Amino acid sequence: MGLGLGIGVLFYLIGLIGAGDAKALAALSGLVGPDAMLLTVICALAILVVWAAPRRIKKLGLKGFLKSERQGVWHYLTKRKLRPDPEDCPPEIDKVPLAPFFLPGFVISIFLLWRWSYALV
């Protein structure tokens, strides 16, 4: 549970997830253990990207989507505050909670862990 809380608080302080998602990570880690928790988070993030990317491409267009992602990565890496031009960005950026993606991520991670453990035997 401590690993999940530590990762959750770290991601919260960086600004990647909200406080509710950080608490859900701690609870998830306490329920499934550290191995399954890390794989669950990776799978949940992958599902979130697969779900959110087409929505953002539809909203911004492919060119706008790529520009937005490139700017976001650049500003994150340089630790600058993201102050986009009002003309370049939509008026409201959708925020999506990560917690609803934990359950499908957990199901996929259990399947992957089962397949890996079965392959090792």
Side-chain angles (χ1 to χ4, degrees):
M1 190 166 152
L3 177 67
L5 182 61
I7 291 173
V9 168
L10 177 68
F11 284 176
Y12 172 72
L13 292 175
I14 293 173
L16 296 177
I17 63 175
D21 292 335
K23 291 182 278 188
L25 269 174
L28 178 70
S29 179
L31 289 173
V32 300
D35 294 338
M37 190 273 305
L38 289 174
L39 191 55
T40 297
V41 171
I42 291 168
C43 292
L45 289 171
I47 294 168
L48 174 64
V49 168
V50 168
W51 178 80
R55 291 177 48 133
R56 292 198 62 216
I57 290 171
K58 183 178 178 184
K59 186 174 185 178
L60 300 175
L62 183 60
K63 187 175 180 181
F65 171 75
L66 293 175
K67 182 178 180 182
S68 171
E69 293 301 311
R70 185 178 60 242
Q71 286 177 347
V73 168
W74 171 255
H75 286 285
Y76 179 76
L77 292 176
T78 59
K79 305 291 186 215
R80 294 183 182 174
K81 296 267 185 196
L82 183 59
R83 293 186 187 141
D85 295 331
E87 301 161 359
D88 290 343
C89 293
E92 186 175 310
I93 297 174
D94 295 335
K95 290 191 174 185
V96 179
L98 182 61
F101 297 95
F102 285 153
L103 180 60
F106 174 69
V107 171
I108 292 171
S109 70
I110 292 301
F111 175 74
L112 292 174
L113 288 173
W114 174 74
R115 296 281 295 173
W116 288 336
S117 65
Y118 183 72
L120 293 175
V121 174

